[in-house]
Amino acid sequence: MKVWIIGCGMDGCDTLTKEGRDAIDRADIIIGSKRLCAAFSEKQVIAEYNTDRIIALLNEHKANAAVLMSGDTGFYSGAKALYKRLRTSGHDVRITAGVSSMAYLGAASGISVEDAVPFSLHGSEDMHGAALQLALCGKVFYLLGGKNTPAALCRHLAEYGLSNAEVIVGSDLGYESEKIWRGKASDCTGEQALACVIAMHPPKTDTHFINDGLFIRAERIPMTKAEIRCICTDMLNIGQENICWDIGCGTGSVSVQMAYKCPKGAVYAA
């Protein structure tokens, strides 16, 4: 039997591609969240989004099926794990791309996003690395969810000295209740859970050689000097997602230098 994994865009209707619509027409059953399945009541619809249960349903029904995914299947989507599992178990599966929230918000706000770095805070318990990513890259697309609302993100950016960052907030994209707000991080109050943000701020240029004068410390307190910090951290070949330890960190200047090299990782200083 044939299985299509379909990226349904924002609303699963107006932003659904023709290719996706054609695949749905060819399917005997539709599987996905209630929100996405609502537009296809003419078909046999099963409301489900858990990967294990979707596979069990496909094995049970043995029919051509369309599995609906929100947004784009290649952009922080459950399609990745589902596709791998289906291929491994011998299913004939094809992925149909959709419109991502990043592309949609960029187009709706007139902002080019080819130089924006995608950063997911969806399902995350904190804002780990969110401000540093903007400080390093200058333009970031944030996918939000749960407690990580636009207002919470902007408070985090302001806490790290990025209150003047320009932000574009999109909520309920593709729906009648869609709202797009543009302003400074310091003025953002949006608490919507179903939202995303494009943030822009001039990137830092001193991350590879942080001047000693930028560190606040008491007079005559020793600190590892810039030249030594750069040599040590470069020789460690730190990757973006690495976990680093600075044992005996003292003033923490090496810890800070490390942190700029692993914005998606973590630094523990003791």
Side-chain angles (χ1 to χ4, degrees), residues 18-141:
K18 184 179 184 301
E19 181 186 18
R21 177 74 242 197
D22 289 345
I24 291 172
D25 289 341
R26 293 196 294 272
D28 300 311
I29 61 172
I30 309 296
I31 303 174
S33 68
K34 290 182 179 179
R35 177 174 68 89
L36 293 177
C37 289
F40 308 105
S41 57
E42 74 278 6
K43 295 274 188 176
Q44 181 183 356
V45 172
I46 303 174
E48 185 56 73
Y49 56 85
N50 177 273
T51 298
D52 290 333
R53 290 195 285 268
I54 288 174
I55 292 174
L57 286 167
L58 293 172
N59 292 333
E60 175 188 345
H61 286 269
K62 299 186 184 302
N64 293 330
V67 181
L68 309 186
M69 298 280 180
S70 62
D72 179 18
T73 51
F75 190 76
Y76 298 115
S77 172
K80 180 180 179 180
L82 181 60
Y83 179 79
K84 184 177 181 179
R85 293 275 300 276
L86 291 176
R87 291 277 294 184
T88 302
S89 57
H91 284 83
D92 181 10
V93 56
R94 175 181 171 83
I95 294 180
T96 299
V99 178
S100 70
S101 52
M102 181 173 174
Y104 186 98
L105 181 58
S109 58
I111 294 294
S112 178
V113 293
E114 76 267 10
D115 56 343
V117 174
F119 194 93
S120 178
L121 291 167
H122 185 74
S124 175
E125 292 296 319
D126 55 36
M127 294 284 178
H128 179 72
L132 180 56
Q133 194 68 255
L134 181 59
L136 291 174
C137 302
K139 183 187 286 187
V140 178
F141 172 85

Side-chain angles (χ1 to χ4, degrees), residues 128-197:
H128 179 72
L132 180 56
Q133 194 68 255
L134 181 59
L136 291 174
C137 302
K139 183 187 286 187
V140 178
F141 172 85
Y142 295 100
L143 189 64
L144 306 179
K147 295 185 295 184
N148 291 332
T149 64
L153 170 64
C154 288
R155 286 193 296 268
H156 173 76
L157 295 179
E159 182 181 352
Y160 283 85
L162 300 170
S163 58
N164 286 327
E166 183 179 2
V167 295
I168 300 167
V169 179
S171 61
D172 294 341
L173 297 179
Y175 291 87
E176 290 185 3
S177 55
E178 173 181 295
K179 292 182 180 178
I180 296 177
W181 179 87
R182 187 168 185 162
K184 298 293 184 183
S186 56
D187 300 322
C188 178
T189 59
E191 294 290 356
Q192 303 91 337
L194 190 60
C196 50
V197 171

